[in-house]
Structures are given as structure tokens and as C-alpha cells.
């Protein structure tokens, strides 16, 4: 079971394969491995203690960043992830922690959970993916339908108050130049930097 894996100078944590989206570009759709790991499909979800043990074994101080990512949406296990973050903060206060998320946390729990991220992360990277609810749904096929985009966007606006660095990301190959420009405009308006990333096919 692959709980942690390494990409470049980052130590990645894979806690769940659950997700509220089914994105067209998801690496989950492209075989069982990614980034040189044998398999990021978990036969069962590791306990929070198993995740914490795997992180200690991998020695996060040897990497530039510890990143909660997936094969899945980490906030589907919000309590467990925040517990693990607390362990990391106490044991390795110098380790930088990032969360890659689809931004659905408040939708998942049916309430504003942004304040719970305070002190846990240095960086949140939120997948913007598209410039409108309709275009988002066409790419991401969320279980929340058209509400997913606004839920994600308002979570980003709220969580900025609690996390030092919040960025939006989009995948260049899935956007027209006009859509990309509109994403940039939305990000500028929200005061959130935009990272344009390339599609990674496994
Ligand atoms: S939000 Fe992330 S994990 Fe979920 S389907 Fe999209 S790319 Fe995959």
C-alpha cells in the first residue's frame, strides 16, 4: 500500500482514493501508478496512525515540502488529515505543509470549515479548473453538479483568512485561451494567484 511517494523534492501523502469529482484529466483514470509509485490505489484507507508512521519513516525533513494530495480528495478525510498535520507540526515544525485540494471541503461537510485549516498548512493549492460553473461541470463531473464551482470558489475566499498562501490551479490543455484569460481575471478579482500547470498523463 503506497501511503507516501516522492515527486521531485516533495514527499506526497496518499490517504484516500475517494473524491467528489470525476475529472477528465485525473491521473486516477490513467493506470494504477503515477510518478513512479507502484500503485496509488489503496486496498483500504490507512488509519491516521498508519499515515503518521509512514511519514515519520519517510523522514519529511529530507524534502522541501510535505504534500497531502491523492489519488483522491484529501479533505474527504478532513479530521484524520488535520490530526496528521498536527503531529507533523509538533514533531517537525520546520517542515512546510501543502494541501492539493478540489476545494469542496465545505460542500462535503455541509458547513463552512475554512477555520479548521488554521495553523495546519503553509500552502493550499485549489483546483479552479474552469472559469464558470457550467465549464467546471463539463470537465470535473462533480457530485455537486453546478453548485461545485461556487462552493469551491467561496471556500478559497474563506480559507485565505486562515492559510498563509492560497493559490488556484488550472490545466492548460483543458482550457481555450479565452477560458484561461477568464480564469486569470477571476483570480485577479479574488486576489488569489493562478498557477497554470501542464497535463500529466501516466
Ligand atoms: S478532484 Fe483531483 S482526485 Fe478528484 S477526480 Fe479531479 S483530479 Fe482526480
Amino acid at each position: 500500500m503506497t501511503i507516501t511517494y516522492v515527486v521531485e523534492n516533495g514527499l506526497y501523502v496518499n490517504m484516500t482514493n475517494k473524491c467528489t469529482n470525476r475529472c477528465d484529466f485525473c491521473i486516477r483514470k490513467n493506470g494504477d501508478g503515477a510518478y513512479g509509485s507502484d500503485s496509488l490505489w489503496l486496498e483500504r484507507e490507512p488509519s491516521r496512525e498508519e499515515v503518521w508512521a509512514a511519514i515519520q519513516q519517510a523522514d519529511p525533513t529530507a524534502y522541501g515540502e510535505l504534500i497531502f494530495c491523492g489519488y483522491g480528495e484529501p479533505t474527504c478525510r478532513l479530521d484524520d488529515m488535520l490530526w496528521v498535520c498536527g503531529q507533523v507540526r509538533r514533531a517537525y515544525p520546520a517542515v512546510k505543509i501543502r494541501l492539493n485540494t478540489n476545494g469542496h471541503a465545505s460542500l462535503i461537510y455541509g458547513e463552512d470549515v475554512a477555520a479548521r485549516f488554521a495553523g495546519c498548512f503553509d500552502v493550499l493549492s485549489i483546483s479552479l479548473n474552469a472559469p464558470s460553473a457550467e465549464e467546471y461541470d463539463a470537465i470535473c463531473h462533480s457530485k455537486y453538479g453546478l453548485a461545485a464551482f461556487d462552493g469551491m470558489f467561496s471556500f478559497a475566499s474563506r480559507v485565505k483568512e486562515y492559510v498563509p498562501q492560497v493559490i488556484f490551479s488550472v490545466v492548460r490543455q483543458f482550457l481555450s485561451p479565452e477560458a484561461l484569460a477568464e480564469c486569470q481575471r477571476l483570480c485577479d478579482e479574488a486576489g488569489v494567484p493562478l498557477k497554470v500547470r501542464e497535463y500529466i498523463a501516466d
Side-chain angles (χ1 to χ4, degrees), residues 19-23 25-28 71-73 102 197:
C19 189
T20 48
N21 278 355
R22 288 179 293 110
C23 302
F25 52 81
C26 185
I27 56 173
R28 300 190 307 169
Y71 265 36
E73 170 49 41
N102 64 15
R197 63 186 181 86

Side-chain angles (χ1 to χ4, degrees), residues 144-186:
Y144 301 112
L146 293 178
F149 183 81
D150 283 351
M152 171 272 296
F153 207 86
S154 68
F155 172 75
S157 308
R158 290 282 301 127
V159 84
K160 270 200 314 168
E161 293 178 32
Y162 303 101
V163 175
Q165 194 182 357
V166 175
I167 60 172
F168 276 131
S169 73
V170 293
V171 181
R172 185 190 306 280
Q173 287 83 348
F174 282 80
L175 293 172
S176 66
E178 295 74 24
L180 186 55
E182 180 60 10
C183 287
Q184 186 65 64
R185 193 191 66 73
L186 286 175

Side-chain angles (χ1 to χ4, degrees), residues 3 14 18 23 30 34 40-42 46-47 50 61-62 81 85 94-95 97 101 108 114 123-124 132 142 185 189 195:
I3 301 175
N14 175 35
K18 290 187 193 131
C23 302
N30 298 300
L40 294 178
W41 285 115
L42 300 163
S47 68
E50 286 175 314
T61 62
M81 180 178 65
C85 283
V95 167
I97 308 178
T101 177
I108 294 168
V123 183
L124 244 66
S132 70
S142 175
R185 193 191 66 73
E189 209 171 83
K195 180 177 179 190

